[in-house]
């Protein structure tokens, strides 16, 4: 472990973090659990400890749903600008409704999973 990460580890302990028996899958430094429940590596920051394939799939799913939400919101912003330029263009309004509908469905899925 490099000097720098020892300093960071000491800092984490001062903040009330506890050292775990697991080590970072990337650099093998000991991992720390923060008071907030987050698990961090002194070198890499926040780490997701994956204990099973099922858990890994769940994390991947959450990441992809987050990125879908970002794409939908970007789309809504683009269409909103078009509607502002031409409020009578019904095609843009239909597009907006589709985006909002998709976002609502996504929200329903994400609220079910927790
Ligand atoms: Zn690490």
């Amino acid at each position: 472990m490099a000097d720098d990460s020892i300093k960071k580890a000491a800092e984490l302990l001062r903040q009330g973090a506890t050292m775990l028996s697991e080590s970072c899958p990337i650099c093998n430094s000991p991992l720390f659990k923060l008071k907030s429940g987050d698990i961090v590596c002194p070198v890499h920051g926040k780490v997701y400890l994956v204990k099973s394939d099922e858990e890994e799939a769940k994390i991947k799913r959450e990441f992809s749903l987050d990125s879908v939400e970002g794409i939908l919101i970007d789309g809504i912003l683009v269409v909103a600008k078009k509607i502002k330029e031409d409020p009578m263009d019904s095609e843009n309004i239909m597009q907006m409704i589709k985006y909002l509908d998709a976002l609502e469905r996504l929200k329903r899925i994400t609220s079910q999973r927790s």
Side-chain angles (χ1 to χ4, degrees), residues 12-80:
L12 288 170
L13 288 172
R14 256 204 310 279
Q15 287 167 5
T18 49
M19 201 167 111
L20 300 175
S21 56
E22 286 97 343
S23 55
C24 174
I26 307 161
C27 68
N28 247 5
S29 295
L31 293 176
F32 294 83
K33 189 174 187 180
L34 303 182
K35 280 178 176 171
S36 64
D38 285 344
I39 292 164
V40 296
C41 161
V43 180
H44 293 101
K46 196 167 175 180
V47 166
Y48 292 91
L49 267 193
V50 174
K51 293 208 171 75
S52 65
D53 287 352
E54 197 185 317
E55 209 176 326
E56 189 180 353
K58 190 181 164 218
I59 288 168
K60 275 188 189 153
R61 200 159 61 229
E62 284 181 19
F63 271 122
S64 57
L65 286 175
D66 281 350
S67 62
V68 169
E69 187 175 19
I71 292 164
L72 289 175
I73 289 168
D74 285 349
I76 286 169
L77 293 176
V78 170
V79 178

